[in-house]
Amino acid sequence: MEHIEFAYCLNGPDAGKRLDSEDHIVARLKADELAWLHLLADHPDTDPWMEEVLDFVEPPTRAALTAKSTRPRASVQEDGLVVILRGVNLNPGEDVEDMVSLRVFLNPARIITLSRRPLRSVTELREEVAAAEGPQSVGSFLASLVERLGGRIDETLFELAERVDLLEDAVIGAPAPEQRAQVVDERQEVIDLRRFLGPQRDAIGQLASGGHAMLSKSDRRRLAEAHDRLVRAVEELDAMRDRLIVLKDEIDAAVQDKLNRNLYLLSILSAIFLPLGFLTGLMGINLGGMPGAESPWAFWVFTGALAVVGALQLWVLRRLGWI
């Protein structure tokens, strides 16, 4: 039973009771009272076990629940409702934006969830169920799960927004090339989160407005509120993405301005030393008849002439407004 993470009774006289044996789990899932089973999606025994034991799950539904690559969506199948969601990855040593896929199958008598990695939202809901304080209907379970996922998303976006604000202040105050790497990292996190939260917003909106028979008016109101939070989250991500693009442009402009200033100074130095270099090269030729070759004062006279030429060049460049 390594592929079975846990299973609980959700309502009836055994509400909150954990199902420890495979026989009890299967019997409860086939009974009329509501039960919740959580499986490891990437375990090699999960798909064969579902095919053999959970005969009420149709092959297309089973394929959607165990697929390696998923995107958030909600669809009505003949055997129930399939909802695929994403939660922020808060596992130690992993990136927050590498969102964890949670696959959910619901019908009036059973709930089956699958994930490849742990999710704190699932852990919190499990603790509530174990304390007999959890949801006791399909709609309430789905709404509670979506609300918890949304809460983690809001916390993550708040922290991300604070980092972007600090980065923006730093770039506006003193843009530097080393800030570019941080801008790229934050922008990549925003893009990765936006990639999944956009479809998740649409899926939750579909559930809130679809009027599925398993969802009561109260459940749909809670889902509508969760949908509104996701709409704001996506809008905030779009705004942060645009702000980071502006910050990158600001850093690039500052780097380009610095480069232009350096090139300008090099051009000024070249303009000054080019004629001086020409004169020293001309006076250094080894030919007879060089003026002042026999005079002990010729070197100092020539050096003074170079100084006068250099000063004259500086005066001309200043008059032209180049320096």
Side-chain angles (χ1 to χ4, degrees):
M1 289 178 53
E2 294 180 355
H3 58 287
I4 299 177
E5 186 77 9
F6 58 81
Y8 283 93
C9 301
L10 292 185
N11 59 14
D14 295 329
K17 178 182 178 181
R18 180 166 183 171
L19 304 171
D20 295 322
S21 70
E22 182 176 340
D23 292 339
H24 289 164
I25 293 172
V26 175
R28 182 72 187 205
L29 290 174
K30 293 185 177 181
D32 293 334
E33 294 175 337
L34 187 61
W36 174 24
L37 169 66
H38 186 74
L39 299 169
L40 300 176
D42 57 347
H43 196 282
D45 294 338
T46 296
D47 194 26
W49 185 82
M50 291 180 64
E51 182 178 4
E52 178 183 356
V53 178
L54 305 184
D55 52 3
F56 50 83
V57 180
E58 297 292 334
T61 302
R62 189 169 61 251
L65 294 174
T66 57
K68 291 184 178 180
S69 179
T70 64
R71 66 186 299 274
R73 64 186 179 92
S75 60
V76 179
Q77 308 288 344
E78 293 183 2
D79 49 349
L81 180 64
V82 174
V83 182
I84 297 177
L85 303 169
R86 289 272 178 163
V88 291
N89 190 352
L90 300 178
N91 294 306
E94 299 189 17
D95 295 329
V96 171
E97 67 271 18
D98 185 17
M99 301 187 77
V100 180
S101 173
L102 178 65
R103 305 100 186 278
V104 185
F105 168 78
L106 312 100
N107 68 20
R110 56 194 66 89
I111 298 171
I112 301 173
T113 57
L114 302 92
S115 66
R116 295 175 179 269
R117 288 169 290 181
L119 268 171
R120 291 189 184 178
S121 300
V122 173
T123 301
E124 289 179 356
L125 192 55
R126 172 188 178 179
E127 291 172 353
E128 279 195 10
V129 170
E133 299 175 353
Q136 298 189 3
S137 68
V138 171
S140 178
F141 177 92
L142 181 60
S144 298
L145 184 59
V146 169
E147 288 170 348
R148 281 171 171 76
L149 292 173
R152 299 293 183 189
I153 291 170
D154 288 345
E155 292 173 5
T156 300
L157 291 188
F158 179 77
E159 295 173 0
L160 178 58
E162 283 192 328
R163 295 201 305 269
V164 172
D165 289 341
L166 293 175
L167 180 58
E168 188 174 42
D169 292 340
V171 171
I172 292 175
E178 55 269 18
Q179 295 167 333
R180 184 184 298 167
Q182 187 178 356
V183 170
V184 171
D185 289 342
E186 302 295 0
R187 186 181 175 192
Q188 187 61 52
E189 182 172 342
V190 168
I191 291 173
D192 289 342
L193 290 171
R194 176 64 172 81
R195 173 189 173 194
F196 293 114
L197 292 188
Q200 186 146 314
R201 170 200 59 192
D202 298 338
I204 301 304
Q206 179 183 346
L207 291 171
S209 60
H212 195 280
M214 289 187 292
L215 304 177
S216 67
K217 290 183 178 180
S218 175
D219 299 330
R220 290 198 296 274
R221 281 195 297 268
R222 293 172 64 185
L223 290 172
E225 183 63 27
H227 172 256
D228 184 65
R229 292 170 66 183
L230 280 173
V231 169
R232 294 197 302 270
V234 171
E235 290 174 349
E236 186 173 355
L237 285 172
D238 289 339
M240 281 191 282
R241 180 186 58 192
D242 294 340
R243 289 168 61 192
L244 289 168
I245 291 175
V246 172
L247 292 182
K248 183 177 181 299
D249 292 342
E250 185 72 19
I251 294 172
D252 291 342
V255 172
Q256 188 64 39
D257 288 344
K258 185 176 181 180
L259 178 61
N260 290 338
R261 286 195 300 271
N262 292 338
L263 291 176
Y264 176 74
L265 291 176
L266 288 176
S267 300
I268 295 298
L269 292 175
S270 298
I272 293 174
F273 285 101
L274 182 61
L276 299 180
F278 170 76
L279 292 175
T280 55
L282 178 64
M283 298 303 292
I285 59 176
N286 296 319
L287 294 176
M290 288 293 297
E294 303 300 331
S295 173
W297 301 101
F299 172 77
W300 299 110
V301 172
F302 182 70
T303 301
L306 291 179
V308 171
V309 171
L312 182 61
Q313 285 182 297
L314 290 174
W315 179 80
V316 172
L317 292 175
R318 186 177 295 276
R319 293 280 294 181
L320 293 175
W322 291 6
I323 58 174

